[in-house]
Amino acid sequence: LDLDPVDFDLRERIGETLSTLAARAHDKGLELAFDVSPEVPESLVGDVHRIRQVLVNLLGNAIKFTERGEIVLRIELASQEEQRVTLRFAVKDTGIGLPSEKIETIFQPFEQADVSTTRKYGGTGLGLAICVRLVELMGGEMKVESQVGRGTTFSFTSALQLGQRTPAKHVTGQRKQLRGLRVLVIDDNETNRRILAKMLENWGMDSVVVDSAAKGLQALQASLEDNPIGLILSDVNMPGMDGFMF
């Protein structure tokens, strides 16, 4: 196993990775969310292909072993030292979980929770063993926390260098235009609401966040008398407002 470090945009490349898995999550009625801490640099140097390999395995397993609920990928800045950063990637699901006695052995080749898991979900268990080697190669370590019936969180760290890329001028200009814009967010999933609100705040936008179409219409009507809302982001149907959906 070798590493091929390149300069890359983390949010863009990981976003592409989640897009390839979105259809599988949607087919099972699962929410698939992506949460990046604002402290995480945009431009990094590392083997993004290996990072994506590990994430595809962890996210794929999460989708496979989750029947309802959500899968959330969170990326945080664990530490920074001059031109070097360590990121923590965590994939959390609301799936079947792992018994405590199996957590110690789950990273061994051909190991799964029990025989019935293989019959129902398939696979050999080899993927996690390879992921551990890739993570160690990238200067990190992998951990798992789980409760039977409550879900599992696989996390790993990766050491990366700061990249040299700077945002394109048109991107910087667009961000300036967004500052102060009022946005109405309507989503029935609490995790999505939290992620969107934090994202809009980081862009300097003023968000109003609600969990239903009825509350969305109330917020929109109230804004007409005070400070008009300029953009609506919604994943629920709002009768008569289809022309404003993005």
Side-chain angles (χ1 to χ4, degrees):
L1 297 175
D2 297 315
L3 295 181
D4 180 23
V6 296
D7 199 334
F8 67 96
D9 183 311
L10 178 75
R11 289 165 176 81
E12 179 181 347
R13 299 302 295 274
I14 302 304
E16 293 171 355
T17 302
L18 264 70
S19 295
T20 65
L21 298 164
R24 289 172 56 188
H26 177 75
D27 288 344
K28 296 187 68 174
L30 303 173
E31 295 279 351
L32 181 60
F34 177 29
D35 185 11
V36 185
S37 172
E39 291 79 21
V40 174
E42 292 189 12
S43 180
L44 295 163
V45 176
D47 194 331
V48 66
H49 176 67
R50 295 299 192 189
I51 293 174
R52 290 178 64 172
Q53 281 184 315
V54 176
L55 288 176
V56 166
N57 184 280
L58 297 181
L59 290 164
N61 281 345
I63 294 171
K64 181 192 299 184
F65 297 119
T66 302
E67 297 301 327
R68 62 180 64 86
E70 63 185 25
I71 294 100
V72 181
L73 167 60
R74 290 191 172 94
I75 305 178
E76 301 171 328
L77 180 65
S79 65
Q80 181 169 354
E81 189 174 319
E82 297 183 352
Q83 296 299 306
R84 182 182 179 89
V85 298
T86 298
L87 300 185
R88 180 179 181 271
F89 300 78
V91 176
K92 182 178 181 180
D93 65 52
T94 55
I96 61 176
L98 293 167
S100 57
E101 65 272 15
K102 285 294 182 179
I103 290 179
E104 296 297 325
T105 62
I106 195 66
F107 296 124
Q108 296 178 8
F110 307 109
E111 184 74 25
Q112 287 195 331
D114 56 43
V115 176
S116 64
T117 300
T118 304
R119 285 199 305 267
K120 183 174 180 179
Y121 298 101
T124 63
L126 186 60
L128 285 176
I130 295 176
C131 286
V132 169
R133 292 194 59 189
L134 289 175
V135 168
E136 292 173 347
L137 192 64
M138 293 186 288
E141 62 176 343
M142 183 173 288
K143 298 180 179 179
V144 59
E145 299 175 3
S146 187
Q147 286 184 283
V148 175
R150 300 288 298 275
T152 303
T153 299
F154 281 95
S155 63
F156 68 93
T157 54
S158 178
L160 302 161
Q161 299 291 325
L162 292 179
Q164 302 300 319
R165 292 187 178 188
T166 56
K169 290 184 178 180
H170 73 277
V171 173
T172 303
Q174 288 172 351
R175 289 180 179 176
K176 289 181 179 179
Q177 294 175 10
L178 295 176
R179 291 175 186 167
L181 178 65
R182 297 199 75 210
V183 184
L184 174 61
V185 177
I186 310 168
D187 199 306
D188 57 0
N189 181 272
E190 182 180 356
T191 299
N192 287 342
R193 293 196 301 271
R194 177 181 56 78
I195 293 173
L196 285 168
K198 184 169 67 174
M199 183 185 302
L200 295 170
E201 179 185 351
N202 293 336
W203 290 346
M205 304 169 80
D206 181 13
S207 63
V208 178
V209 183
V210 297
D211 61 5
S212 70
K215 292 180 181 178
L217 286 171
Q218 291 175 2
L220 190 61
Q221 291 167 355
S223 78
L224 297 177
E225 303 172 0
D226 181 19
N227 188 2
I229 288 172
L231 180 66
I232 302 174
L233 303 176
S234 174
D235 80 333
V236 298
N237 294 323
M238 292 179 63
M241 301 298 296
D242 295 342
F244 293 87
M245 297 302 105
F246 292 88

